[in-house]
Amino acid sequence: MIACLLIPGFELRAALRARPRLALVPAALSPEPGEEPVLGPVTAAAEAAGVKPGMRLGEALATCPSLVLVERDPAAVEREWEGVLRRLEDTGFAVDPVEQGAVIFETRGVERLYGGVQPALERALAAVGSAWDPRIGAASRRFTALAAASVARPGQILLVAPKEEESFLEPLPLSLLPMNPGRYAELEGLGLRSLGELSQLPGGAVAERLGVEGRDAWRLARGGRRTRVRGRRPAAELAEALVFPEAIANELTLRRALGSLLERLLARPERAGRPFRKLALAARLVDGGSWRRVATLRDATAEIGRLRAALGSKLQELPAPIVELRLEAVELAEHAGQQLALVEPAGEEAVVRLREGLRQVRASTGTGSVCAVVEVAPWSRIPEARALVVPKDV
Amino acid sequence: MSSPALGRLNAPRPALVETGPGATPRIVNREGVTLVREEWRVVDRWWTDEPVDRHYFEVVLESGRNVCVYRDAEARCWFTQNA
């Protein structure tokens, strides 16, 4: 069977791990900086006070003046979600993440191991942990499993037999379908309220009226396609970080730190010569918050100049001085081949020789013997705070 | 992920200093001071758990070497460092 494990409001729950008391009071995830001022997920206490996810900030504060706004913490969310996925993988499930808080997996591979579908799903819930309030829906199709998880209670496993899928989906609301918000109003204006009402319409007519989006929604309302779940390939932990003794915001210092991180990441033996396809730049802010940006490269590359150009501009988006900068390899290309240049850039041969010489020194004197000086705060009045000595892998 | 062991560049080193009139260095690591070139004070991070209160002296020793020493008011001892 295909199972969907759902953790509603995952972003808020992850941000509250550091402040568990706020889970009991009216609290909501603050709006994304620079985006429309609407709330993210809210706590149960906030919902009881009349605050709903997606509500405008002003309206929410007027409704509940004691509402606490929880600052977004993307690094913590990413870390906690990766932890959830790894615990499921350690239990034997090949997971296919849908989004943070929702993951699909098949039970076929582990049913014999755990003695059936129900025991296997109970192991999955246990692996995630009850603190997250996970719930599972299982069916023969992805969308039905997702819909079942959406209506399940915390800690519940809702199994939908293949013969019962159509009747199960019938009364469910249209909000389960992945559509633009305006579409829901359009469908309600046509008198449609449930998946069953939509599925009973002729598919051609729906496609003609609502386009490709409507046609896809119609197919899902009828259960969707039968597809196999392809588990993700968990990325090796390939990341480097620099912790600064003082908070820094100077662009030159940040770029130098990024250069140092890139050199270290390129030198990691786990990379096995494979170029990067996607990288993530994360930082811990001076006020304790976090920041994260992902850069997907048009062409997978391991050329440091191109990587600097792709990531350097992200540093300008930092909202505050930082105390830690972290670079993660999110995705590597499969090939290890390298397109050689007809004419090498000037100075490249000297760089290659220098690198080889440093490798020889490191081989004879040991790890950590070759270091680089990274200027952190050259203007500091405290001399030992101006620069750091960082072991340099070559 | 590996977070490298970051070392401080130009870390202070304990120094043996004898002072003369006005609390200025007279002997540094058993070597006499011939000239005090400059003197300054650094007070910083007083709002943190690790405040910095240092009285720096740039001196010339008998051997002709130019060194910097400072008296750390928090630790109440002398250190030498490249300023």
Side-chain angles (χ1 to χ4, degrees):
Chain A
M1 291 195 98
I2 295 176
C4 173
L5 186 141
L6 203 59
I7 302 174
F10 185 83
E11 276 190 76
L12 177 62
R13 290 174 188 271
L16 289 180
R17 296 278 275 188
R19 293 186 285 175
R21 287 185 189 175
L22 287 182
L24 304 174
V25 305
L29 198 66
S30 60
E32 188 93 48
E35 302 279 338
E36 211 179 343
V38 292
L39 295 182
V42 304
T43 59
E47 274 201 80
V51 178
K52 294 190 180 358
M55 197 179 240
R56 296 194 76 82
L57 181 60
E59 185 185 350
L61 290 172
T63 305
C64 178
S66 61
L67 183 71
V68 175
L69 290 178
V70 179
E71 203 169 311
R72 289 176 184 259
D73 194 347
V77 172
E78 182 66 33
R79 187 178 60 245
E80 295 289 352
W81 183 235
E82 184 63 27
V84 167
L85 295 178
R86 284 186 186 269
R87 288 196 294 278
L88 284 170
E89 285 168 336
D90 289 346
T91 314
F93 298 100
V95 299
D96 179 10
V98 176
E99 58 181 23
Q100 286 168 342
V103 58
I104 301 273
F105 51 91
E106 276 204 35
T107 62
R108 186 170 47 182
V110 296
E111 283 175 27
R112 183 182 280 190
L113 177 66
Y114 293 124
V117 174
Q118 182 79 19
L121 295 178
E122 285 170 0
R123 287 297 290 259
L125 279 181
V128 171
S130 59
W132 291 102
D133 282 342
R135 67 283 311 266
I136 290 181
S140 65
R141 307 187 196 198
R142 286 175 72 114
F143 178 71
T144 314
L146 179 65
S150 300
V151 300
R153 293 185 309 278
Q156 185 187 11
I157 297 171
L158 191 53
L159 291 168
V160 182
K163 294 177 185 176
E164 296 169 3
E165 284 186 20
E166 194 177 329
S167 57
F168 172 76
L169 290 175
E170 213 174 284
L172 296 181
L174 295 173
S175 56
L176 287 173
L177 296 169
M179 292 190 299
N180 283 327
R183 288 291 190 198
Y184 300 122
E186 195 173 343
L187 289 173
E188 284 181 10
L190 294 172
L192 302 172
R193 294 272 189 277
S194 67
L195 297 180
E197 289 173 356
L198 177 62
S199 67
Q200 282 165 16
L201 296 175
V206 172
E208 193 176 334
R209 177 63 190 265
L210 302 173
V212 174
E213 193 182 26
R215 184 196 63 199
D216 293 341
W218 178 81
R219 283 192 182 136
L220 288 177
R222 295 166 75 90
R225 292 199 185 111
R226 292 183 191 278
T227 55
R228 287 200 62 184
V229 175
R230 295 191 184 278
R232 69 166 192 167
R233 298 181 64 166
E237 187 71 36
L238 204 60
E240 292 288 340
L242 273 175
V243 177
F244 305 104
E246 289 182 349
I248 60 167
N250 179 270
E251 188 179 340
L252 183 61
T253 307
L254 288 170
R255 286 184 180 270
R256 285 180 178 169
L258 174 62
S260 178
L261 289 174
L262 278 169
E263 287 175 358
R264 293 187 59 82
L265 203 61
L266 284 165
R268 288 284 290 272
E270 300 96 306
R271 189 172 70 86
R274 291 172 292 169
F276 300 109
R277 197 173 290 284
K278 193 189 281 189
L279 290 158
L281 197 56
R284 190 154 49 87
L285 307 178
V286 65
D287 59 2
S290 69
W291 171 90
R292 182 182 166 87
R293 290 291 184 273
V294 178
T296 303
L297 303 169
R298 195 170 52 186
D299 296 313
T301 183
E303 289 179 28
I304 194 165
R306 291 175 62 186
L307 292 170
R308 273 186 210 261
L311 294 167
S313 57
K314 305 284 183 193
L315 293 172
Q316 294 171 359
E317 299 173 23
L318 280 166
I322 66 171
V323 293
E324 181 180 348
L325 187 65
R326 178 183 163 100
L327 183 63
E328 303 168 10
V330 177
E331 193 178 325
L332 294 166
E334 290 306 317
H335 62 87
Q338 190 176 336
Q339 176 64 51
L340 299 175
L342 180 61
V343 179
E344 294 289 345
E348 187 64 23
E349 187 181 344
V351 169
V352 169
R353 286 189 183 178
L354 175 63
R355 202 170 286 145
E356 188 55 36
L358 290 174
R359 280 201 194 103
Q360 289 176 12
V361 169
R362 186 164 166 266
S364 63
T365 56
T367 309
S369 58
V370 177
C371 301
V373 173
V374 177
E375 273 195 322
V376 175
W379 56 84
S380 175
R381 297 190 301 160
I382 304 167
E384 68 266 27
R386 292 173 189 155
L388 294 173
V389 177
V390 179
K392 184 181 175 74
D393 284 325
V394 291
Chain B
M1 185 268 292
S2 71
S3 192
L6 303 180
R8 298 256 190 185
L9 193 66
N10 197 12
R13 301 173 297 281
L16 197 64
V17 175
E18 285 183 27
T19 57
T24 55
R26 190 170 64 86
I27 296 176
V28 175
N29 289 335
R30 299 189 182 87
E31 208 171 337
V33 173
T34 57
L35 175 68
V36 177
R37 294 186 64 187
E38 202 174 344
E39 174 184 352
W40 69 96
R41 195 145 174 229
V42 172
V43 180
D44 204 346
R45 298 187 188 167
W46 41 265
W47 60 93
T48 68
D49 292 335
E50 296 178 358
V52 172
D53 185 354
R54 301 176 181 177
H55 194 167
Y56 278 89
F57 297 90
E58 185 180 348
V59 301
V60 179
L61 302 179
E62 285 173 343
S63 60
R65 274 197 311 137
N66 201 3
V67 299
C68 266
V69 292
Y70 70 85
R71 167 98 178 145
D72 191 319
E74 295 289 325
R76 295 185 189 174
C77 50
W78 288 87
F79 295 89
T80 180
Q81 184 178 47
N82 298 327

